[in-house]
Amino acid sequence: MSTAHTPLIAVTMGDGAGVGPEVIVGALLDESVTARCRPIVLGDVARLRRAAEVTGSRVEVVAVDSVAESVFAFGRINVIDPGLLPPDLPWGEVSPVAGDAAYQYVRLASELALRGEVRGICTAPLNKEALHAAGHLYPGHTELLAQLTGTEEVSMMLSTPKVKVVHVTTHIGLIDAVERIEPGLVERTVLRGYRAIRGSGVSAPRIGVCGINPHAGENGLFGYREEEGKIVPAVEKLRSDGVDVHGPLPADTAFFLASRGDYDLIVAMYHDQGHAPVKLLGIEAGVNVTVGLPVIRTSVDHGTAFDIAGTGKADVDSMIEALNQAAELSAAV
């Protein structure tokens, strides 16, 4: 199958002391990935070659200076290598050098995206302790990419084969989350998810919006009518603009309805409301998607796994799924 018109995806290697190099090598030898996108790795050539050795993979790792120089063929990995890692970097240990390199790979990928040279970014895991030790004080990839691309507001979308969910709030306490939710934020979050789903090929997405309280407040029986003040105005505005959106829905049934196909996207109000059912319904193939950036970004659903780094035992399924979904969603950019 010709890949000449498949999207170009920048793949950041993450922390070189972790499993990122191994899962990248394994995923880029999967035919479903190479049929759907053209990946360019931002990383370290020597480290990726070591990863190929420990995983027993037959692959050609080639240094290139630019996206334009890349040649796409099965069994070949194109790498833009800024030369940041020492050859004797140990596996499985926190290193400021590796933390800085992980930051630089993301920075370079962001520059490629802003210049329009790639359509998506897929990130292997970085280590937050190493990142901070290198002086890059970000909670993670999402906040880092938002700053690098000059994006004021982004949303987290978790995507599985059964259900996709976008979050109005994420890593804040529950009381703070309820306080932060307001109609404008709900509307913007729905629209970010709506555009991402449309970009994946669903022409008229059906969207279910969760309530905040049990039973979505049940007409004021639970809570202090947060649904009426914080969610209903956004739903009404979106529907008047032609978006097929429904809610507020009781969260305990919304995900069941989505899993049987009633909705293409569920909008969760806070972290655990969205994460718990998604992990139950499809954690083995779950992918973290950042929507709202000028480029689609997907990520594996695991960390650097220092305990098994360099052993060849890392599971590549999440990276395969992340790359495939980056290819699928990148048309939304």
Side-chain angles (χ1 to χ4, degrees):
M1 178 185 296
S2 172
T3 62
H5 301 292
T6 58
L8 290 157
I9 304 295
V11 185
T12 60
M13 196 180 77
D15 193 301
V19 297
E22 294 165 77
V23 297
I24 286 174
V25 167
L28 297 189
L29 287 174
D30 185 274
E31 292 184 355
S32 72
V33 170
T34 57
R36 298 183 70 180
C37 67
R38 290 171 290 163
I40 303 97
V41 179
L42 287 304
D44 187 88
V45 167
R47 199 65 173 180
L48 289 160
R49 287 173 178 165
R50 286 188 64 187
E53 291 175 5
V54 300
T55 58
S57 302
R58 297 184 63 181
V59 63
E60 182 184 13
V61 182
V62 182
V64 297
D65 291 328
S66 66
V67 173
E69 283 188 15
S70 300
V71 175
F72 298 97
F74 186 78
R76 173 187 166 112
I77 298 178
N78 300 287
V79 185
I80 297 176
D81 182 357
L84 300 173
L85 293 184
D88 59 349
L89 179 75
W91 295 104
E93 296 182 13
V94 174
S95 163
V97 174
D100 179 64
Y103 167 85
Q104 301 300 338
Y105 301 148
V106 177
R107 179 184 62 80
L108 291 169
S110 298
E111 291 176 359
L112 292 177
L114 291 174
R115 291 198 299 265
E117 295 185 46
V118 297
R119 296 295 301 277
I121 296 173
C122 183
T123 59
L126 52 72
N127 182 281
K128 293 176 184 177
E129 184 179 352
L131 186 71
H132 290 185
H136 306 296
L137 305 181
Y138 297 92
H141 274 114
T142 301
E143 296 80 6
L144 172 55
L145 281 161
Q147 179 167 327
L148 288 170
T149 59
T151 307
E152 291 186 8
E153 190 174 86
V154 297
S155 296
M156 175 190 295
M157 186 168 78
L158 299 181
S159 179
T160 77
K162 287 188 177 181
V163 65
K164 292 179 173 60
V165 55
V166 65
H167 294 69
V168 175
T169 66
T170 50
H171 296 117
I172 56 176
L174 186 54
I175 292 173
D176 294 331
V178 174
E179 177 66 24
R180 183 173 297 182
I181 297 165
E182 51 86 19
L185 178 58
V186 173
E187 180 184 356
R188 295 191 301 273
T189 303
V190 172
L191 286 173
R192 280 190 284 270
Y194 171 79
R195 290 166 186 148
I197 299 298
R198 284 197 66 185
S200 70
V202 180
S203 60
R206 297 161 297 170
I207 300 174
V209 178
C210 292
I212 296 172
N213 295 296
H215 299 204
E218 202 163 300
N219 297 316
L221 182 61
F222 304 115
Y224 299 91
R225 306 194 75 86
E226 288 89 352
E227 282 76 16
E228 286 79 357
K230 294 173 176 288
I231 301 173
V232 170
V235 171
E236 291 178 345
K237 172 67 164 54
L238 288 160
R239 292 187 70 135
S240 70
D241 291 340
V243 180
D244 187 5
V245 59
H246 303 264
L249 303 172
D252 58 355
T253 59
F255 287 91
F256 164 74
L257 296 174
S259 70
R260 75 178 188 185
D262 290 17
Y263 297 108
D264 300 298
L265 176 70
I266 293 293
V267 181
M269 291 296 120
Y270 51 89
H271 183 279
D272 286 11
Q273 188 183 63
H275 276 62
V278 163
K279 290 185 176 183
L280 179 64
L281 289 169
I283 190 171
E284 72 284 349
V287 173
N288 185 330
V289 185
T290 306
V291 291
L293 296 169
V295 63
I296 284 293
R297 173 256 172 170
T298 65
S299 177
V300 294
D301 66 354
H302 58 74
T304 48
F306 277 177
D307 57 324
I308 61 169
T311 67
K313 296 178 181 179
D315 191 313
V316 303
D317 287 350
S318 186
M319 177 58 80
I320 290 171
E321 187 64 22
L323 280 160
N324 283 333
Q325 293 209 28
E328 176 186 334
L329 294 168
S330 61
V333 177

